[in-house]
Amino acid sequence: MIVLLLLASAVISGIVTITGFSLLEGGAGMGVVCIIYVLLYAGAAFLVARWNRGVLPVVSAFAVLMLIFCAVGANSWFARDKSGFDEALIPVPLIGLLVLILIPLQVLLIAVAMIGFSQEWHVEEEREIGRSEDYGHGAPPSSPPDQSAPAPA
């Protein structure tokens, strides 16, 4: 679930970044920050897919920052649909809608990442060596042969 949310956030952020790159505040400066966010989310999705639990609090922190950016900047995308503003690659209200979609997506990502972090992925259960039935490899071993009887000649 966390990987899916991270990838969805990366894809939507990437679409907003690519289509609105020329319109982002501060020119290329904020565009570079958005590209870095997309790369961070994609990298975090890779790490979480490999059961790296330590990246989850970092993901939550970045999601909080993304949530703030989206909440503050969403309204400005809808204010650009008047004449005299530069155009983006896709209609600007659609970019605003994508930014609004990112807001609940980030809230969900924060919640799911913190639940995942509390699941103790790093804890392993010790098992006795040589007992394959513990690992689902078949029936328990048979009892050892009787040692009191003499071996046949």
Side-chain angles (χ1 to χ4, degrees), residues 1-2 4-6 8-9 59-60 63-64 67 101-116:
M1 184 69 165
I2 299 169
L4 180 67
L5 290 171
L6 281 167
S9 295
V59 165
S60 293
V64 168
L67 177 66
I101 290 171
L102 277 172
I103 293 172
L105 193 62
Q106 298 311 298
V107 171
L108 189 59
L109 178 61
I110 293 165
V112 172
M114 288 297 89
I115 290 170

Side-chain angles (χ1 to χ4, degrees), residues 53-108:
R53 174 179 164 268
V55 75
L56 295 178
V58 176
V59 165
S60 293
F62 280 121
V64 168
L65 290 174
M66 175 72 85
L67 177 66
I68 293 169
F69 289 153
C70 291
V72 169
N75 194 28
S76 65
W77 287 106
F78 294 108
R80 297 188 63 86
D81 63 351
K82 298 171 184 66
S83 64
F85 286 103
D86 291 337
E87 291 295 320
L89 295 177
I90 61 174
V92 178
L94 181 58
I95 296 175
L97 178 64
L98 291 173
V99 172
L100 285 178
I101 290 171
L102 277 172
I103 293 172
L105 193 62
Q106 298 311 298
V107 171
L108 189 59

